């Protein structure tokens, strides 16, 4: 059995750990949980860190519990927030929970008969019938207001520049999360809670509640919040979050995100977001810096994470899509792309529309009159005669080429390429 703490430490995934945690994990198979608030119907890559914690935990022989926070999601965690979170209704939360369950099953073994098979729980199941009076009597009396006020997540909101303060709802969040830990301790023998470093206050409230209410011993471990070398926010692009669900972030875009990180971040992320062994990563780092321009670390990172999240087939499609835009992609490769990937590849490329009635059309008429790809037919003619114009990755050699509807990709697109790097997308409307 691998040592869980040692495994995380060399990967740079330990921020705080409660004394005694290592000894507990060496003593016996231990149950640990991570909470995920279902604020959307997909995880994004910011969630991947704690999911990786659970996976490493299971690989080290321990039993992971994934808690989908149906109840806490109705309140909103103040940690790291400067304003109140929008509350979700139960129907939306239930939908989000089911979607997240399917995603987590890609990373954790829920189905085997092994004693450390993962378990999924929803705190709404034990909170929905808990009356306010019973909760304040059973839980509230064990944690003082002074103790709750001492938490950084509370102090920052109360003394912050925004002067928005904190609602009673959010103030009680740490008690609700604390009760989750108590419930799992009593019903699942859970002795460890893990999360991001911003969760340390909430986690230790739970361990304090267990100590005061039962006299039992439990532990806490947090990982650092992931940062980028340039100071930018990890997991964000101009389009927003990088999602696990292909409906929101295509596998090609997902692949490109990892491919475009800096050398420094690639080295760090290989340790955090892959299960490659230490020697494999160290060898890759050495090889990378002997020829940094080949970006071997980024390619390895993008491969490992894309295969883990989307599977090998989608990774190979992303490779083909990258070749189409940046390499020697062919017309057949272009036509093999699904529409979502095709649009992801050419996102940001200048686009113009034509009508179905505009086809068939002479290529120069299409590109210089019906659209503005060229400013004149003369310019278009020169480009064709110079061998610089391609249609759907096939070089145009005839100035009188007839473009017809059979040439449309996905039945609606024409890809024009002027020279090596200038692309234009023509969309045929009904």
């Amino acid at each position: 059995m691998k040592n869980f703490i040692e495994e995380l430490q060399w990967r740079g995934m330990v921020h705080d750990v409660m004394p005694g945690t290592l000894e507990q994990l060496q003593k016996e198979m231990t149950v640990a949980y991570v909470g995920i608030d279902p604020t959307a119907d997909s995880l994004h890559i910011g969630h991947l860190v704690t999911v990786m914690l659970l996976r490493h935990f299971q690989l080290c022989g321990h039993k992971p519990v994934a808690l989908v926070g149906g109840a806490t999601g109705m309140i909103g965690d103040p940690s790291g927030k400067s304003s109140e979170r929008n509350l979700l209704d139960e129907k939306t939360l239930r939908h989000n929970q089911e979607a997240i369950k399917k995603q987590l099953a890609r990373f954790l073994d829920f189905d085997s008969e092994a004693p450390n098979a993962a378990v999924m729980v929803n705190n709404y199941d034990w909170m929905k019938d808990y009356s306010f009076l019973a909760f304040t009597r059973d839980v509230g009396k064990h944690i003082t207001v002074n103790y709750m006020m001492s938490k950084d997540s509370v102090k920052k909101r109360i003394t912050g520049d925004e002067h928005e303060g904190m609602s009673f709802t959010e103030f009680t969040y740490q008690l609700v999360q604390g009760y989750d830990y108590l419930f799992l301790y009593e019903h699942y023998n859970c002795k460890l809670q893990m999360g991001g470093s911003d969760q340390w206050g909430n986690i230790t409230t739970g361990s304090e509640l267990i100590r005061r209410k039962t006299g039992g011993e439990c532990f806490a471990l947090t990982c650092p919040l992931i940062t980028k070398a340039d100071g930018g926010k990890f997991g964000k692009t101009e389009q927003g979050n990088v999602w696990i669900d292909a409906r929101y972030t295509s596998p090609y875009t997902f692949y490109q995100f990892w491919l475009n990180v800096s050398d420094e971040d690639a080295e760090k992320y290989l340790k955090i977001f892959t299960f490659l062994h230490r020697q494999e990563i160290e060898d890759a780092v050495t090889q990378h810096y002997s020829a940094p321009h080949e970006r071997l670390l980024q390619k390895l990172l993008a491969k490992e994470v894309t295969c883990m999240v989307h599977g090998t087939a989608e990774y190979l499609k992303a490779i083909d899509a990258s070749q189409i835009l940046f390499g020697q992609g062919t017309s057949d490769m272009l036509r093999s792309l699904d529409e979502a990937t095709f649009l992801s590849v050419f996102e940001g490329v200048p686009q113009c529309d034509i009508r179905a009635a505009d086809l068939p059309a002479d290529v120069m008429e299409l590109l210089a009159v019906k659209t503005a790809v060229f400013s004149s037919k003369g310019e278009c003619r020169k480009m064709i005669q110079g061998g610089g114009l391609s249609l759907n990755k096939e070089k145009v050699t005839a100035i009188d080429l007839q473009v017809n509807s059979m040439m449309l990709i996905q039945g609606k697109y024409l890809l024009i390429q002027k020279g090596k790097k200038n692309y234009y997308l023509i969309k045929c409307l009904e």
Side-chain angles (χ1 to χ4, degrees):
M1 185 187 296
K2 284 195 294 187
N3 184 304
F4 177 65
I5 303 292
E6 286 183 1
E7 181 73 16
L8 293 191
Q9 284 175 331
W10 82 260
R11 290 181 181 274
M13 295 177 72
V14 175
H15 187 272
D16 287 305
V17 59
M18 191 175 285
T21 304
L22 177 60
E23 291 75 11
Q24 168 62 34
L25 296 178
Q26 290 176 325
K27 182 173 67 174
E28 60 186 357
M29 184 188 78
T30 301
V31 180
Y33 94 92
V34 162
I36 300 171
D37 277 343
T39 49
D41 65 353
S42 173
L43 302 172
H44 54 72
I45 60 173
H47 291 114
L48 266 186
V49 186
T50 48
V51 174
M52 298 297 278
L53 282 181
L54 288 177
R55 179 62 178 150
H56 281 298
F57 195 68
Q58 189 171 43
L59 289 174
C60 289
H62 300 290
K63 188 177 184 72
V65 174
L67 183 149
V68 180
T72 39
M74 289 181 168
I75 296 174
D77 181 5
S79 303
K81 309 292 191 305
S82 60
S83 60
E84 190 93 4
R85 174 188 288 177
N86 292 328
L87 307 186
L88 302 177
D89 59 66
E90 184 179 346
K91 181 180 178 181
T92 302
L93 284 166
R94 284 293 185 190
H95 166 74
N96 293 353
Q97 290 153 23
E98 290 305 312
I100 289 170
K101 283 181 184 179
K102 292 178 182 177
Q103 292 183 333
L104 287 174
R106 302 180 197 173
F107 303 92
L108 301 173
D109 172 18
F110 289 98
D111 300 324
S112 77
E113 296 181 3
N116 71 326
V119 175
M120 187 171 296
V121 296
N122 179 355
N123 61 11
Y124 184 74
D125 294 335
W126 58 80
M127 290 300 298
K128 62 183 177 182
D129 297 322
Y130 210 156
S131 74
F132 177 75
L133 290 177
F135 185 80
T136 53
R137 179 193 64 207
D138 298 341
V139 178
K141 71 176 184 179
H142 292 284
I143 302 293
T144 67
V145 170
N146 305 57
Y147 180 86
M148 295 172 70
M149 292 284 288
S150 69
K151 301 296 182 180
D152 285 342
S153 60
V154 175
K155 286 193 291 188
K156 287 178 182 176
R157 283 284 293 278
I158 291 178
T159 61
D161 296 334
E162 293 85 359
H163 301 297
E164 291 185 14
M166 174 185 285
S167 69
F168 175 77
T169 301
E170 283 199 321
F171 182 61
T172 57
Y173 183 94
Q174 61 177 293
L175 285 184
V176 179
Q177 184 171 328
Y179 181 70
D180 287 344
Y181 199 176
L182 173 63
F183 183 92
L184 294 177
Y185 176 84
E186 293 179 331
H187 293 83
Y188 290 84
N189 194 32
C190 180
K191 294 184 178 179
L192 174 63
Q193 184 182 169
M194 303 185 291
S197 58
D198 60 334
Q199 290 294 310
W200 182 256
N202 292 334
I203 294 173
T204 52
T205 295
S207 62
E208 184 67 8
L209 177 62
I210 291 170
R211 186 187 67 80
R212 294 186 184 187
K213 194 166 172 60
T214 72
E217 189 175 32
C218 57
F219 304 93
L221 181 148
T222 60
C223 58
L225 296 180
I226 305 304
T227 57
K228 289 170 61 178
D230 63 5
K233 190 169 183 180
F234 169 75
K236 291 281 189 180
T237 67
E238 291 181 2
Q239 290 74 40
N241 285 322
V242 178
W243 297 95
I244 301 299
D245 194 315
R247 292 175 302 162
Y248 305 133
T249 300
S250 73
Y252 168 79
T253 303
F254 185 88
Y255 170 81
Q256 286 292 325
F257 171 83
W258 301 101
L259 193 64
N260 289 314
V261 302
S262 68
D263 289 354
E264 183 180 342
D265 286 337
E267 184 176 347
K268 179 171 72 172
Y269 295 165
L270 272 171
K271 297 175 183 177
I272 296 171
F273 295 106
T274 79
F275 295 103
L276 294 174
H277 298 299
R278 187 170 191 165
Q279 192 61 53
E280 290 177 280
I281 294 176
E282 289 175 353
D283 289 347
V285 169
T286 300
Q287 189 178 0
H288 172 88
Y289 284 110
S290 67
H293 63 283
E294 294 184 6
R295 299 177 66 78
L296 295 177
L297 282 182
Q298 286 88 342
K299 291 176 182 176
L300 179 60
L301 173 68
K303 175 184 177 181
E304 291 293 320
V305 185
T306 305
C307 287
M308 177 176 68
V309 171
H310 292 293
T312 304
E314 292 296 339
Y315 160 71
L316 293 175
K317 284 184 187 178
I319 293 288
D320 285 347
S322 298
Q323 287 185 315
I324 288 167
L325 189 57
F326 303 112
Q328 302 300 315
T330 65
S331 177
D332 288 341
M333 290 169 63
L334 186 67
R335 292 183 179 280
S336 71
L337 299 180
D338 58 81
E339 185 174 6
T341 303
F342 177 84
L343 293 176
S344 293
V345 171
F346 297 103
E347 185 176 14
V349 167
Q351 183 173 322
C352 49
D353 297 334
I354 60 172
R355 294 285 174 182
D358 291 327
L359 297 178
D362 176 271
V363 65
M364 292 195 296
E365 176 79 10
L366 177 67
L367 300 184
V369 178
K370 296 183 184 296
T371 67
V373 174
F374 289 95
S375 59
S376 68
K377 288 185 177 181
E379 183 189 358
C380 183
R381 181 184 293 107
K382 287 180 182 178
M383 181 68 74
I384 293 172
Q385 291 172 339
L389 181 68
S390 293
L391 171 63
N392 295 342
K393 283 294 178 178
E394 292 183 343
K395 187 164 291 188
V396 177
T397 57
I399 59 174
D400 58 351
L401 174 71
Q402 290 293 299
V403 181
N404 60 56
S405 59
M406 298 295 291
M407 298 177 178
L408 295 172
I409 296 170
Q410 299 289 334
K412 62 180 80 169
Y413 302 106
L414 293 169
L415 180 68
I416 309 301
Q417 186 176 358
K418 294 166 59 177
K420 289 185 177 180
K421 296 182 179 179
N422 295 317
Y423 287 96
Y424 297 83
L425 196 59
I426 298 175
K427 183 177 181 180
C428 184
L429 306 175
E430 292 296 330

